[in-house]
Amino acid sequence: MTTRQTHRRSALALSLACALLLPLAAHAQDDARERQLEQRVAQLEQQLNELKAMIQAQKAAPAQPAAPAVPAQAVAAAPAPAAPVFSSAPGVSVALHGFISASAFSQNKSFTYGNGQNALFPIPDSKGSLSGVDVRNTRFWLDFKGAQFAGNWSGGGRIEMDFFGGFNGTGPYSQQQATPRLRQAYMDLTNPESGTTVRIGQQWDLMFPIDNSPTSLAHIAFPLGFGSGYGGWRFPGVVVMQDLNHGSAGPQWRLDVGAFEGSWNGPGNNVNYLTAGSAGFRPQVEARLHVQDKNWLAYFTAHYSKVDLRGVGGTAPTPIRSDIKSTGYQIGGQWKPGPWTFKGLVYTGNGLGQVFGAMSQFGDISERGGFVQAGYGFTPNWSLYAFYAYAKPDADDVIAWMGHGSTGLLRNRQTALSLQYSAGAYDLSAEWMYDKLDSTSDGTDRKTTSGNQLSLNALYRF
């Protein structure tokens, strides 16, 4: 066989082998491509499901008020994040919000519940002026959204802290080392189909006007008029919020019903659940009917609890009577016609010391009071606010319970004026607060103590 014939046969064999192997190689490549395509499709489906869950949760989550007592254009209603700051689990977004607050103040009396940013009404017989710079209003919180529960229910929550937990000791540097304080820590279960939200954990009770607190840059954690014109406090509890005309146009109606941990000022150890309010596990029960439209809102709130003054075990000595029925009713609202803003509420009740009523006096004390505030925006940046609050516990009840929870505070009137400048994330203000308090130390003699506070305030929100 010649060399040429050998080459021809080798080339023919190689051609036949290639013809047989090419389909097999192409089939293997097709299988690999199909597996890659299936994996990519699965990844895209997972990402799409996570995105849908996140969007559904953000739409379903109720508006979460961020900082009561701060102007609406500042932080009273923190905006929802356009995108998650970070994600703690698939479909769960975590957003960090808060504000930095600073107040330079001067006052001519010592105040309750403290001086600076938590000053509200003067301490009887206090003397001497004082001044300083206070940053304890500074606050931050984490909002969680997007967790899936069951069926149409999704979840979320909030952890919120400020720096009114006291100071780090009593030494020369303690005033500059404020202690963090847990404000709220709750979880939400939300059903967007029925308009239902269940909130579990420490939160504001329904007596506090969370959507209607007075505007101030100096008094945020302890708002103007707090404890001497309205009350409310944060308790562990459960609140069910139900939209009454879910999905309809026009004013939106909502009914809130809550049960909160009992509370009272003794007997027993207030730190270890051995107070009168904890005896027999008698919760505070509250309900609130809320309606809101584009430029106004209104609400009615009722409160009830029964306090056993014998404490846990029923052996503590009781002053005057062994139990107290705590009741409260309030009606309030807000209206924003054009550049104006009007806020206010009136209340009446009995035994409301546990929710900052009666100027934090505990006993079978009936009272009434309220507040009004008017604001006017001259320009998109400049606004002026005028405020007045009034609280009148029954004088006979206050005197009867002196030494048993009452401190002899009979009547309070508070006035405040604030000029505010807002631009972007910044707010600046000059505020004057004047308070006039009637009191008695022996049940017979009466005295009036007045106090002033001037403050320059700055706030940056994020």
Side-chain angles (χ1 to χ4, degrees):
M1 184 180 297
T2 65
T3 302
R4 182 176 297 177
Q5 290 176 333
T6 301
H7 287 169
R8 287 177 179 175
R9 291 178 179 178
S10 299
L12 180 60
L14 181 62
S15 300
L16 291 172
C18 291
L20 292 172
L21 292 175
L22 281 175
L24 296 175
H27 181 71
Q29 290 179 353
D30 290 342
D31 289 343
R33 288 173 182 171
E34 288 181 3
R35 287 195 297 270
Q36 292 177 354
L37 182 59
E38 290 175 353
Q39 292 175 355
R40 182 57 180 162
V41 170
Q43 291 176 354
L44 291 175
E45 287 179 348
Q46 181 180 0
Q47 294 175 359
L48 180 60
N49 290 334
E50 292 178 358
L51 181 60
K52 286 181 178 180
M54 185 182 303
I55 294 174
Q56 181 184 14
Q58 291 183 351
K59 288 182 178 180
Q64 300 201 19
V70 186
Q73 65 269 35
V75 295
V85 176
F86 60 91
S87 180
S88 63
V92 178
S93 65
V94 184
L96 172 67
H97 289 297
F99 56 85
I100 299 170
S101 168
S103 299
F105 67 92
S106 177
Q107 57 192 59
N108 66 346
K109 291 287 191 305
S110 292
F111 278 71
T112 304
Y113 298 89
N115 298 309
Q117 293 179 335
N118 61 340
L120 287 177
F121 50 88
I123 298 174
D125 295 326
S126 64
K127 297 179 181 179
S129 62
L130 59 107
S131 60
V133 178
D134 199 346
V135 298
R136 289 174 295 166
N137 275 327
T138 298
R139 184 183 308 177
F140 64 93
W141 60 92
L142 292 171
D143 282 329
F144 301 82
K145 295 181 180 179
Q148 295 302 302
F149 181 54
N152 293 324
W153 292 85
S154 61
R158 167 172 291 188
I159 300 174
E160 180 184 68
M161 301 185 73
D162 66 10
F163 292 88
F164 280 97
F167 296 102
N168 182 17
T170 58
Y173 311 109
S174 64
Q175 183 171 296
Q176 291 75 40
Q177 300 185 75
T179 303
R181 173 181 70 164
L182 177 67
R183 292 174 55 85
Q184 298 189 89
Y186 60 76
M187 63 192 80
D188 282 340
L189 298 174
T190 302
N191 188 328
E193 299 297 326
S194 62
T196 308
T197 297
V198 180
R199 181 163 293 173
I200 306 169
Q202 180 156 303
Q203 58 194 289
W204 285 103
D205 80 314
L206 304 183
M207 290 291 286
F208 186 83
I210 191 69
D211 298 324
N212 194 39
S213 55
T215 299
S216 171
L217 293 183
H219 301 278
I220 302 176
F222 292 79
L224 292 172
F226 188 44
S228 58
Y230 61 96
W233 190 237
R234 299 179 298 274
F235 299 97
V238 178
V239 173
V240 178
M241 294 168 272
Q242 177 61 56
D243 294 341
L244 299 181
N245 57 341
H246 183 64
S248 64
Q252 297 299 302
W253 292 81
R254 190 184 77 237
L255 177 64
D256 306 332
V257 179
F260 303 91
E261 179 184 57
S263 179
W264 199 253
N265 187 21
N269 182 349
N270 289 8
V271 181
N272 198 28
Y273 303 97
L274 298 178
T275 70
S278 300
F281 188 63
R282 292 181 173 87
Q284 303 178 75
V285 180
E286 297 180 348
R288 178 174 59 199
L289 182 63
H290 179 279
V291 58
Q292 183 170 348
D293 208 349
K294 295 179 180 179
N295 66 342
W296 61 270
L297 63 85
Y299 54 90
F300 171 77
T301 310
H303 158 96
Y304 174 82
S305 68
K306 186 176 181 181
V307 180
D308 186 348
L309 297 182
R310 297 172 299 175
V312 176
T315 59
T318 58
I320 304 177
R321 54 183 305 174
S322 61
D323 61 72
I324 293 175
K325 290 184 180 179
S326 173
T327 59
Y329 308 93
Q330 72 177 12
I331 185 170
Q334 182 180 146
W335 182 38
K336 294 183 176 181
W340 290 93
T341 298
F342 299 100
K343 301 178 180 181
L345 68 79
V346 293
Y347 78 95
T348 184
N350 184 80
L352 293 175
Q354 60 187 329
V355 290
F356 268 73
M359 290 175 276
S360 293
Q361 298 178 103
F362 287 78
D364 193 14
I365 301 172
S366 62
E367 62 177 299
R368 66 184 189 277
F371 82 87
V372 292
Q373 185 177 53
Y376 182 77
F378 299 98
T379 71
N381 303 104
W382 289 96
S383 54
L384 180 67
Y385 296 90
F387 174 85
Y388 178 78
Y390 178 85
K392 179 65 173 68
D394 183 89
D396 292 336
D397 292 344
V398 169
I399 293 170
W401 284 85
M402 285 183 64
H404 305 294
S406 164
T407 54
L409 307 182
L410 303 176
R411 184 173 59 155
N412 193 68
R413 290 84 79 199
Q414 186 180 96
T415 305
L417 288 173
S418 176
L419 179 64
Q420 182 172 314
Y421 177 82
S422 300
Y426 292 88
D427 297 282
L428 307 173
S429 79
E431 182 174 297
W432 166 67
M433 182 185 72
Y434 171 77
D435 199 278
K436 190 174 182 180
L437 174 70
D438 295 342
S439 64
T440 179
S441 58
D442 57 11
T444 302
D445 299 326
R446 311 293 172 91
K447 66 182 68 175
T448 299
T449 306
S450 60
N452 292 273
Q453 183 190 74
L454 295 172
S455 62
L456 298 176
N457 311 282
L459 184 142
Y460 169 74
R461 48 193 165 83
F462 56 88

